[in-house]
Amino acid sequence: MIRVLLADDQSLVRAGFRALLDAQPDIEVAAEAADGEETLRRVRELRPDVVLMDIRMPVLDGLAATRRITGDTALADVKVVMLTTFELDEYVFEAIRSGASGFLVKDTEPDELLRAVRAVVQGDALLSPGVTRRLIAEFAARSKQPAAAGALSRLTEREREVMALVGIGLSNEEIARRLVVSPLTAKTHVSRTMVKLGARDRAQLVVMAYESGLVRPGWLG
């Protein structure tokens, strides 16, 4: 059973998400929270699998709450998915860098929301290729000089290749076709790369690909 915490200051939004999620046989809403501080208390108390976190909340905003969750090693298994009104919300970029596993717009289709919750728990890609590429473009526009690529020395040549493909926004299936391997093999390479680099999830791996200089602006194939 996937346990979800809903964090949003609008009760109507929470009620809509709860009705959808609780209707699923493999998902349950463990709790709700109306501000960032309450969210932190509930997360520490309940250790949910996924937090659906609104970016704009009173007392403590969703971005600050996300940083505290992802920065707490005791909460390493808690995945945060940011909720925003607009796909290109100015805070989305910082949310991903802060450790959020991805983001969804609040008016996303119900099936997409359910797929996202299940995907992030499994460590699979949460963001669709199109959204990922927009995120990458935003990162490229704001990125500074690439950091030293010393951490990449732990990767095999194939893992570096796979990381670069993740970095340009390809899904496991697209990576498999590009490398002429099975989707399971591609997923295994992605998982091993994340473990070696200490990446929480695929979104953070994208950021690392840019910060290391492995992928550069203009490579959005």
Side-chain angles (χ1 to χ4, degrees):
M1 182 68 71
I2 301 172
R3 301 170 65 248
V4 178
L5 189 150
L6 299 175
D8 195 296
D9 62 333
Q10 298 182 45
S11 58
L12 188 59
V13 171
R14 297 198 308 272
F17 282 137
R18 174 181 279 276
L20 173 64
L21 296 171
D22 276 343
Q24 308 307 307
D26 60 333
I27 302 175
E28 67 175 1
V29 175
E32 299 180 18
D35 62 63
E37 288 289 359
E38 182 182 6
T39 299
L40 287 175
R41 291 195 299 271
R42 301 297 275 169
V43 168
R44 289 165 179 156
E45 173 190 355
L46 301 172
R47 306 292 175 88
D49 299 299
V50 180
V51 179
L52 292 180
M53 179 92 73
D54 185 25
I55 286 182
R56 297 179 177 85
M57 290 190 293
V59 184
L60 184 70
D61 66 39
L63 184 59
T66 296
R67 285 174 176 155
R68 294 193 191 181
I69 291 172
T70 59
D72 188 339
T73 55
L75 303 176
D77 293 332
V78 178
K79 303 294 186 181
V80 178
V81 177
M82 305 301 297
L83 298 173
T84 180
T85 305
F86 305 102
E87 288 185 349
L88 295 181
D89 190 292
E90 62 182 293
Y91 296 116
V92 168
F93 170 78
E94 293 300 332
I96 297 298
R97 293 197 68 177
S98 298
S101 295
F103 70 94
L104 293 171
V105 290
K106 288 186 178 181
D107 62 353
T108 190
E109 292 296 324
D111 286 347
E112 182 63 25
L113 173 65
L114 296 174
R115 282 196 297 271
V117 169
R118 294 177 177 122
V120 74
V121 169
Q122 296 170 359
D124 292 336
L126 169 61
L127 307 176
S128 68
V131 173
T132 300
R133 291 186 179 107
R134 283 196 294 276
L135 173 65
I136 292 169
E138 179 73 3
F139 184 91
R142 300 189 185 197
S143 62
K144 301 177 182 178
Q145 189 71 18
L152 300 187
S153 64
R154 296 193 290 270
L155 304 181
T156 65
E157 183 177 349
R158 176 47 61 94
E159 288 165 349
R160 288 166 64 95
E161 186 177 12
V162 167
M163 182 177 178
L165 294 176
V166 170
I168 63 172
L170 299 192
S171 66
N172 287 344
E173 290 73 18
E174 290 170 324
I175 291 172
R177 289 195 294 271
R178 181 76 65 91
L179 300 180
V180 194
V181 298
S182 71
L184 179 59
T185 297
K187 181 178 179 180
T188 298
H189 283 311
V190 172
S191 297
R192 287 177 178 169
T193 301
M194 285 172 26
V195 169
K196 287 184 177 182
L197 297 180
R200 286 175 60 95
D201 48 51
R202 195 183 191 94
Q204 194 172 27
L205 194 62
V206 170
V207 173
M208 288 180 171
Y210 267 91
E211 291 185 327
S212 67
L214 184 64
V215 176
R216 296 182 178 85
W219 289 13
L220 306 183

